[in-house]
């Protein structure tokens, strides 16, 4: 393209404000033409505050979005009108260039074709993304045909010469997921995360995970721990830990079984949170710019297993969450590796509030299976309803609740002494749980097994049936039948239906003819079920004891007075 390029005036042109120079330019997204001036009689789509540029990050092969007004950069497509998404990625294959000006990945300022001066030093920013940003400063002649210049001619680098550091810092969006700053010409990156909701002006800066101990994947262990360089204990551990991670990922020859390697890593992570932190950061480093398909897959698999069985510190958990979020979009998956599925599972496990399984070969295997076959236990009600939509579209409550209730009754729970109070055989529970996770109805002859699994399922819900926002109201309702029933009716779907079906089961078991055999009246049933339906957030023993009685009172009132017939309606 050049100054004499034909312009299709019937096509719509978009107005772009280049972020560094604040100069206005115009682009025809159909033809790829760029111009400093709007062609005569051209139809113009003017810029506005809601407008987002859709760009492409060549390194991660993902689209990302940049708002030139707010200078915000995000991975996920903003929820705005389609006309406010400007697909500038279309122009990244060949873009204009201008002498001595900052170039953006979206649309570098076009050349006017008038300059004949000597080559000047230019700052090139091919990928203005949360991970790349400003690239290199180098001398570059103005091409004879600048409109045909390609991004491939630009050398992507994170280094800036000292003379240009100030401009580089000003260029980065102040609210982007990751903000780069430059302390030396060799670059030390820091990340800036979104502001805490409780403090809109507070930001947290830390060294980039990808810069911790090295830019990316390496065959060598870091010279010092990534999580705490001053820790003498970690300095002794990091070499061995790194070898285990390498071996699991297939980057190092080993005779050890992969499950045993994962178990060894998880056991150390559970024993010491510092080891959990170091393991997570080492895995992330080995995943960064890892071009080996099998190594990448095994690395993500190992990260998902580690966070499923061990919990890192809040600081490192936030780093891991940020890392996973960057790869959670399915359209960014590299060929052969479903990274987004791994990343989503990592995020879910990090947010899990219930107790983690004890590390064992069985739990390692289970954690791996759950990556692509999400478990019934520990999933939110919304996730469960989404998972069963194709299998049981007619069900208004989770299949697992309906199945366990039927198993309790069909196995003779209404006449079994101590139902919901007596413990069941652990092996039978594990076997039945495994089948339920595969959407198979287990063969249960002991109603205690089904009852224990139903309590466990309720206990492991990320959000209890009586959410924290309704907790105090439920306690205040107590034995007030009208208020307790009103409180239950206020729950949103599917919470209201799930609670109603549970209470209906307890009402069946609380009938006089059943109580005579089970020795479990409404009070006893409420005592053992209430802790799985309501959760006290206090750590004060006195408060916990007092609230336990009030929780029991609320559930007992529902058993005695709540009309649950609506839960059976189809």
């Amino acid at each position: 393209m050049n100054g004499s390029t034909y312009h299709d005036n019937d096509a719509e042109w978009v107005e772009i404000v280049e972020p560094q120079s604040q100069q206005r330019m115009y682009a025809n997204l159909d033809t790829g033409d760029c111009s400093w001036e709007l062609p005569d009689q051209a139809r113009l789509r003017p810029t506005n505050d809601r407008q987002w540029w859709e760009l492409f990050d060549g390194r991660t092969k993902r689209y990302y979005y940049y708002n030139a007004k707010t200078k915000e950069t995000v991975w996920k497509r903003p929820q705005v009108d389609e006309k406010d998404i400007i697909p500038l990625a279309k122009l990244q294959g060949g873009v204009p260039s201008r002498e001595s000006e900052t170039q953006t990945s979206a649309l570098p300022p076009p050349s006017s074709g008038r300059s004949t001066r000597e080559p000047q030093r230019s700052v090139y920013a091919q990928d203005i993304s949360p991970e790349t940003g400003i690239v290199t400063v180098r001398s570059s002649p103005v091409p004879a045909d600048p409109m045909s210049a390609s991004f491939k001619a630009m050398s992507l680098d994170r280094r800036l010469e000292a003379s240009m550091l100030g401009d580089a810092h000003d260029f980065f969006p102040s609210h982007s997921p990751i903000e780069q700053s430059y302390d030396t010409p060799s670059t030390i990156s820091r990340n800036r995360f979104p502001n805490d909701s409780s403090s809109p002006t507070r930001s947290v800066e830390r060294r980039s995970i990808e810069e911790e101990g090295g830019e990316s994947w390496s065959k060598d262990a870091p010279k010092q721990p990534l999580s705490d360089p001053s820790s003498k204990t970690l300095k002794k551990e990091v070499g061995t830990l790194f070898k285990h991670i390498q071996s699991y990922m297939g980057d190092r020859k080993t005779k050890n079984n992969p499950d045993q390697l994962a178990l060894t890593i998880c056991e150390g992570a559970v024993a010491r949170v510092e080891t959990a932190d170091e393991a997570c950061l080492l895995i992330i480093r080995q995943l960064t710019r890892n071009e080996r398909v099998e190594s990448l897959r095994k690395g993500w698999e190992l990260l998902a297993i580690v966070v499923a069985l061990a919990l890192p510190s809040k600081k490192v958990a936030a780093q891991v969450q940020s890392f996973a979020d960057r790869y959670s979009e399915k359209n960014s998956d590299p060929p052969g590796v479903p990274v987004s599925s791994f990343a989503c599972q990592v995020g879910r496990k990090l947010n899990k509030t219930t107790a983690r399984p004890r590390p064992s070969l069985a739990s390692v295997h289970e954690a791996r299976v759950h990556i692509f076959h999400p478990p019934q236990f520990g999933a939110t009600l919304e996730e469960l309803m989404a998972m069963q939509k194709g299998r049981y579209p007619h069900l208004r409550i989770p299949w697992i609740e309906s199945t366990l209730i039927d198993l309790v009754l069909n196995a003779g729970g209404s006449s079994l002494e101590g139902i919901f109070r007596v413990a069941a055989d652990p092996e039978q529970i594990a076997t039945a749980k495994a089948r339920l996770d595969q959407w198979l109805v287990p063969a249960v002859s002991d109603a205690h097994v089904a009852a224990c699994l139903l309590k466990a399922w309720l206990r492991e819900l990320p959000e209890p049936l009586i959410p924290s926002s309704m907790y105090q109201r439920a306690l205040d309702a107590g034995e007030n039948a009208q208020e307790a029933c009103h409180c239950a009716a206020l729950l949103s779907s599917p919470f209201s239906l799930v609670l109603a079906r549970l209470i209906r089961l307890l009402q069946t078991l609380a009938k006089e003819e059943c109580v005579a055999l089970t020795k479990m009246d409404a009070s006893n049933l409420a005592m053992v079920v209430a802790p799985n339906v309501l959760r006290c957030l206090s750590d004060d023993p006195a408060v916990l004891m007092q609230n336990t009685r009030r929780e029991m009172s609320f559930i007992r009132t529902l058993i005695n007075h709540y009309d649950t017939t609506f839960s059976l309606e189809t």
Side-chain angles (χ1 to χ4, degrees), residues 462-514:
E463 180 78 5
L465 291 186
I466 303 296
S468 56
S469 59
M470 294 285 289
Y471 181 77
Q472 190 58 48
R473 182 165 185 168
L475 294 188
D476 294 341
E479 297 181 1
N480 184 324
Q482 183 176 356
E483 181 59 27
C485 294
H486 182 59
C487 182
L490 288 176
L491 296 176
S492 61
S493 179
F495 286 81
S496 58
L497 282 170
V498 172
L499 177 64
R501 284 296 296 274
L502 173 66
I503 296 300
R504 188 167 187 84
L505 169 65
L506 300 180
Q507 289 172 339
T508 298
L509 298 176
K511 293 179 179 179
E512 289 186 8
E513 58 271 26
C514 293

Side-chain angles (χ1 to χ4, degrees), residues 2 12 32 49 67 84 97 134 285 291 302 304 337 422 454 472 480 518 535 551 569:
N2 53 42
E12 185 178 47
D49 294 354
N67 187 303
D84 289 325
S97 176
I134 296 295
R285 192 188 79 154
E291 297 180 356
L302 180 59
V337 186
V422 174
L454 181 54
Q472 190 58 48
N480 184 324
T518 65
R535 293 180 199 158
E551 292 170 2
E569 297 173 1

Side-chain angles (χ1 to χ4, degrees), residues 244-250 257-263 265-266 279-280 283-284 286-287 290 292-310 320 323-324 336-347 349 361 363-373:
H244 289 330
I245 291 170
Q246 275 188 312
S247 298
Y248 189 93
M249 294 175 67
N257 180 279
D259 281 5
Q260 186 59 56
L261 288 167
L263 176 58
I265 294 169
C266 291
C280 288
I283 296 170
I284 286 175
Q286 293 304 102
L287 288 172
N290 186 337
R292 294 184 63 245
V293 171
E294 185 61 14
S295 174
L296 188 65
R297 185 186 69 80
K298 295 292 288 185
W300 274 104
E301 181 179 276
L302 180 59
L303 183 60
I305 291 171
V306 170
V307 297
L309 302 182
V320 178
F323 182 79
V337 186
V339 168
S340 59
S341 296
F342 286 114
C344 289
Q345 186 68 6
V346 167
K349 293 302 181 182
L361 289 175
S363 61
V364 165
H365 174 75
E366 186 178 73
R368 181 188 297 109
V369 170
H370 287 168
I371 295 172
F372 296 104
H373 302 281

Side-chain angles (χ1 to χ4, degrees), residues 157-160 165 182-189 211 215:
D157 199 317
R158 292 193 178 201
R159 294 185 293 275
L160 286 171
L165 297 183
Y182 299 84
D183 296 319
T184 69
S186 63
T187 306
I188 296 177
S189 296
E211 301 290 342
E215 282 282 331

